[in-house]
Structures are given as C-alpha cells and as structure tokens.
Amino acid sequence: KAGVTQTPRYLIKTRGQQVTLSCSPISGHRSVSWYQQTPGQGLQFLFEYFSETQRNKGNFPGRFSGRQFSNSRSEMNVSTLELGDSALYLCASSLEQDRPSYEQYFGPGTRLTVT
Amino acid sequence: DQQVKQNSPSLSVQEGRISILNCDYTNSMFDYFLWYKKYPAEGPTFLISISSIKDKNEDGRFTVFLNKSAKHLSLHIVPSQPGDSAVYFCAARRKPYNQGGKLIFGQGTELSVKP
C-alpha cells in the first residue's frame, strides 16, 4: 500500500506570495491533518479534514487555509507569505477510529522557504 | 502555550548504553501518549504509545514510562544503537479521539548514538 505523498517536496517563495501544498493520503484514509514543523517549536497542528469538512483547527492566522476533495486528497494554502512561514509542512492521514490508539501516518513533508 | 514539553533539544549517548528521553505535559485531560521518531527528509513514524491507565509499556528495546502525578513520561531505549539516531517527538491526545489529527506534540529531542 502506498504511503502518504506530498508535493512538492521543496519550495522557495518570496514574501507576499501565496503557496499551495498538496497531500495524497493512504488509500482508504479519510482523515487528513496538517502540521507545521519549525526548529524549537516541534510539530504544531494546523487543521484536520474529514469527508471534505474541516473538523479541527489549530491556532494559526487566517492566511493558512485548506480543503479536502472527494477522493480525500487535501491541499493547504498560505497567502501573503511571511519569513516566519518557512518550515516543514507535514501531512498525516488516518482511518476514522473512536479509540485513542489509532495511528497517524505522516508524509515526508514539503520544505517551504520564504525569502 | 506549550502543553507538551521536551526540555532537552539534544542528547548524545554511547552505543550499547541506555537513552532516556523525557517529556512533560500540562493538560490533565490528555489520556493517551505517543512517541514518534523522525529521520531527516522523512515524516515522523510511530514508535510506541501508552494509555494513561498504565504506567509502563514495553516493546522490544523501547519502554515508555508514565508518571501521571508528575505529568511526566519518558522513553527508554536499551541498548541504544547508531540507527536510533533521529529526532524523537512526544505527543499527547485526548477525547474525542475520532477527531483525527489533533495530536499535541513536543518540540522534539535529537538523539545521537555514537559508535
């Protein structure tokens, strides 16, 4: 079974631009979550989508948005990029399970550099 | 507001010795804890977990200990191997579990195991 894939793997943008990152979950997984990883901050939860609906949102400004398509693929968008948005953006997918031990599977991430 | 904290950004251990990675949390609503391991250019992968109703969980060379009264958990790796060199993230989750990705992560500890 193919893992979580993210495209592109690396991206360089300039301040003020906008960017779209893509995530394809493991086949059959309907929950997709996005995290931002920066040095010293660890992984911070951005949002989670399930069945094309945003179900959870972290403490990020409105410049960060996302969506999920009917095939469970997800995109996240960052508008008006700032230098502080430089980070590794990770996508994770999981099966829908109402028990704590379910596992999230992470993609390799998209490394975004804002100059 | 860092609800999950890993206060040691790095740890260096000799091959064959024990590695102890620590994690503290502040939110008493967390009832399930996970450790993830991350190699460069890869996404985090699940390592081991523990429910708050237990105080120890063991899987091969990896053991996680939970001290609920101190809101502290630790990951022990015995014996440490050079292939264990990676960044280790502690994460916590709480009900409702079926709301996908809202894992709260610590900042990570970079473990280096020297031959």
Side-chain angles (χ1 to χ4, degrees):
Chain A
K1 194 184 251 190
V4 178
T5 57
Q6 292 186 248
T7 55
R9 292 294 309 277
Y10 303 92
L11 207 48
I12 300 175
K13 291 285 190 179
T14 54
R15 276 189 310 175
Q17 287 187 313
Q18 68 95 26
V19 68
T20 299
L21 312 182
S22 181
C23 171
S24 292
I26 291 172
S27 176
H29 287 191
R30 293 164 64 194
S31 171
V32 174
S33 300
W34 289 88
Y35 294 85
Q36 180 195 65
Q37 185 193 352
T38 54
Q41 291 294 316
L43 278 74
Q44 294 188 289
F45 174 75
L46 280 154
F47 28 65
E48 185 235 351
Y49 285 88
F50 181 79
S51 290
E52 302 178 64
T53 301
Q54 186 181 89
R55 195 161 60 168
N56 252 315
K57 189 177 191 305
N59 296 323
F60 279 82
R63 300 185 296 107
F64 291 81
S65 63
R67 59 178 176 167
Q68 187 180 33
F69 301 95
S70 58
N71 62 358
S72 294
R73 191 177 70 84
S74 176
E75 289 181 345
M76 67 163 280
N77 184 276
V78 188
S79 62
T80 320
L81 283 165
E82 299 177 0
L83 294 178
D85 296 333
S86 295
L88 180 68
Y89 290 89
L90 291 158
C91 166
S93 77
S94 65
L95 289 167
E96 172 73 350
Q97 297 181 22
D98 191 16
R99 57 187 179 89
S101 57
Y102 73 85
E103 191 173 332
Q104 280 197 299
Y105 297 84
F106 284 84
T110 294
R111 171 72 63 186
L112 172 65
T113 302
V114 182
T115 62
Chain B
D1 176 26
Q2 194 77 30
Q3 298 183 64
V4 177
K5 297 182 185 179
Q6 294 175 258
N7 292 316
S8 299
S10 63
L11 175 68
S12 183
V13 169
Q14 207 67 32
E15 181 180 5
R17 306 294 289 267
I18 184 171
S19 295
I20 300 176
L21 296 97
N22 294 303
C23 178
D24 297 295
Y25 63 97
T26 58
N27 192 334
S28 56
M29 298 296 291
F30 291 142
D31 58 5
Y32 202 81
F33 303 90
L34 307 91
W35 284 92
Y36 280 80
K37 177 179 177 179
K38 185 181 185 301
Y39 293 117
E42 296 182 14
T45 54
F46 170 76
L47 188 58
I48 192 170
S49 63
I50 188 167
S51 164
S52 61
I53 61 173
K54 296 186 176 182
D55 54 21
K56 177 182 172 181
N57 187 28
E58 200 169 345
D59 183 3
R61 297 185 298 114
F62 302 91
T63 303
V64 56
F65 295 92
L66 175 62
N67 182 335
K68 278 184 66 178
S69 60
K71 293 192 176 69
H72 177 84
L73 61 156
S74 61
L75 174 68
H76 293 211
I77 306 173
V78 184
S80 301
Q81 300 174 354
D84 296 330
S85 297
V87 178
Y88 289 78
F89 290 98
C90 168
R93 144 185 299 161
R94 64 174 200 176
K95 292 178 180 176
Y97 307 126
N98 64 351
Q99 285 197 7
K102 197 160 182 178
L103 276 174
I104 307 300
F105 282 87
Q107 306 96 312
T109 296
E110 184 170 9
L111 173 65
S112 176
V113 180
K114 303 198 181 300

